[in-house]
Amino acid sequence: MHNLVILGASGSIGQSTLKVLRHNPGRWQVLALTAARSVDAMLRDCLEFSPRFAVMVDEAAARELAAQLKTHGSATRVLSGPAALCDVAAHPDAHSVMAAIVGAAGLAPTMAAVRAGKRILLANKEALVMSGAFFMEAVREHGAELLPIDSEHNAIFQCLPEAIQRQPGFCDLAGAGISKILLTGSGGPFRYTDIGELAHVTPAQAIAHPNWSMGAKISVDSATMINKGLEYIEARWLFNAAPEQIQVVIHPQSVIHSMVQYKDGSVLAQLGNPDMCTPIAHALAYPARVESGVEPLDFFSVGEFSFIRPDYERYPCLQLAMHACQQGQAATTALNAANEEAVAAFLAERIGFMDIARVNEATMLALGGTDVGSLDDLIALDGAARARAHNLIEELS
Ligand code: NAD
Ligand code: MG
């Protein structure tokens, strides 16, 4: 039996992963589920999937979950605190680790899984954006296997030759006849909104994504399109792509999940309904194919595909992220940290929607040139960027 650890089990990706497991009974055994503090969701899922371990980052939530599980006669052992996330991610009996914690908080447990040489199903793009070359070097050094969950990167992966799929982070795209990665994105809920109105949009409007159902942070990131920018950086590392080998294309229908253009003029694309269960099922079973529970694509109901060039006046965060990718690791780490703080402040209604770009740009300008020679330097820079972003948020709110 293949043992699976799900980091961030109570979230949108974690829940979709459990959905795929329900469609494939007996194929995967859940070794551990983890969450920050959602007792009810964890109780329900522990009773259904009987993991050996349940980790709650919050100690009070862990005590509550343990008490509730006991009354149900469950044998699941409850652990607490951030170190326990790393312990289960690197557990000797774990084969695959679904990295689906949101934000930089996912870096340490994901790295623990990498260092233990696991098969990593990577949803937590912020971990890779924050640590870039250090993360990819650790993957190589420890013989970990990296399978992208982000729908675009999963699509790109599926369109690459099999030889490249085995070591995507260190491949030679041009040598394999590839001229470009075409990274598609829907443009989010505000793609047709008057630019002048954007300063006044509310968190509820920003979270209401037209095509995908996702956690709050990535939904806001999709509205600013920094999500596409983070994905641009993610693609740079996952596929060893130079920034000029990646092009962002707005595709409002979200049916083409991304494409790879070859030098002979061929373009390979992966298509499907916009449901994360497809990339999750693909990565879980790779190289086999299993049921995901996703409805087959009906081309007649889709009708038409359209494509739009991104407008950086509407999406300044997308351009910032592309600049950060050109500038280098410190800039991407600072930008990612600032953005996490700015999105949290926007969701708490402390700053406006367009202030997110202001906080991000100012933080990146101030700290994007910092010298970073190690992962510890990056973690320190992440902290400094958050402090800087906090000050800016104070001034704006
Ligand atoms: P979510 O907010 O729905 O869930 C986040 C999970 O992380 C929850 O289980 C939560 O308990 C846990 N968590 C939050 N803070 C934590 C902390 N400090 N320590 C430990 N655990 C913590 O988020 P999501 O939408 O499922 O996204 C998860 C990751 O996957 C993100 O990095 C996101 O960018 C990426 N992703 C999501 C989607 C999607 O469709 N939701 C698509 C592509 C990529
Ligand atoms: Mg994506």
Side-chain angles (χ1 to χ4, degrees), residues 237-297:
W237 293 115
L238 278 178
F239 306 115
N240 193 25
E244 58 277 11
Q245 287 174 307
I246 313 169
Q247 183 173 6
V248 175
V249 178
I250 295 183
H251 163 52
Q253 294 80 13
S254 297
V255 168
I256 298 175
H257 299 313
S258 278
M259 304 178 264
V260 175
Q261 187 163 60
Y262 287 80
K263 65 181 174 193
D264 63 4
S266 302
V267 178
L268 302 192
Q270 187 263 358
L271 286 69
N273 282 317
D275 186 325
M276 290 307 293
C277 289
T278 296
I280 291 169
H282 170 266
L284 272 171
Y286 179 82
R289 295 276 180 175
V290 296
E291 289 290 339
S292 67
V294 177
E295 288 293 312
L297 183 61

Side-chain angles (χ1 to χ4, degrees), residues 38-292:
S38 331
V39 176
D40 292 347
M42 283 289 273
L43 175 65
R44 182 195 62 217
D45 295 336
C46 285
L47 293 177
E48 181 181 353
F49 290 93
S50 308
R52 210 186 301 168
F53 305 102
V55 181
M56 296 296 251
V57 179
D58 183 78
E59 288 198 16
R63 279 196 297 277
E64 169 76 15
L65 178 66
Q68 300 244 22
L69 282 170
K70 204 169 160 198
T71 65
H72 286 84
S74 160
T76 297
R77 222 178 116 197
V78 180
L79 310 171
S80 72
L85 295 173
C86 299
D87 294 343
V88 295
H91 195 284
D93 293 344
H95 300 111
S96 294
V97 176
M98 168 58 76
I101 290 173
V102 59
L107 178 64
T110 306
M111 277 300 272
V114 167
R115 291 188 179 121
K118 306 297 184 194
R119 171 184 270 213
I120 318 290
L121 315 179
L122 186 72
N124 181 202
K125 69 191 87 185
E126 297 92 345
L128 183 56
V129 168
M130 181 184 163
S131 63
F134 296 96
F135 187 98
M136 296 309 293
E137 234 358 274
V139 166
R140 174 145 75 176
E141 186 184 341
H142 299 280
E145 189 183 1
L146 202 50
L147 290 160
I149 293 295
D150 212 347
S151 57
E152 296 75 8
H153 306 75
N154 183 272
I156 295 159
F157 182 94
Q158 293 197 47
C159 298
L160 290 172
E162 198 188 330
I164 287 193
Q165 292 180 346
R166 297 291 168 184
Q167 240 205 353
F170 301 95
C171 63
D172 173 8
L173 288 179
I178 292 160
S179 48
K180 233 178 219 171
I181 284 174
L182 301 167
L183 187 65
T184 55
S186 69
F190 304 137
R191 82 188 154 236
Y192 304 123
T193 307
D194 271 358
I195 293 181
E197 304 268 297
L198 290 177
H200 312 293
V201 299
T202 64
Q205 290 171 313
I207 286 174
H209 197 280
N211 307 343
W212 296 92
S213 147
M214 309 181 286
K217 193 259 175 182
I218 184 176
S219 296
V220 176
D221 284 352
S222 299
T224 62
M225 270 194 92
I226 199 168
N227 182 51
K228 211 49 55 188
L230 299 177
E231 291 180 355
Y232 183 93
I233 300 162
E234 186 185 8
R236 183 255 172 281
W237 293 115
L238 278 178
F239 306 115
N240 193 25
E244 58 277 11
Q245 287 174 307
I246 313 169
Q247 183 173 6
V248 175
V249 178
I250 295 183
H251 163 52
Q253 294 80 13
S254 297
V255 168
I256 298 175
H257 299 313
S258 278
M259 304 178 264
V260 175
Q261 187 163 60
Y262 287 80
K263 65 181 174 193
D264 63 4
S266 302
V267 178
L268 302 192
Q270 187 263 358
L271 286 69
N273 282 317
D275 186 325
M276 290 307 293
C277 289
T278 296
I280 291 169
H282 170 266
L284 272 171
Y286 179 82
R289 295 276 180 175
V290 296
E291 289 290 339
S292 67

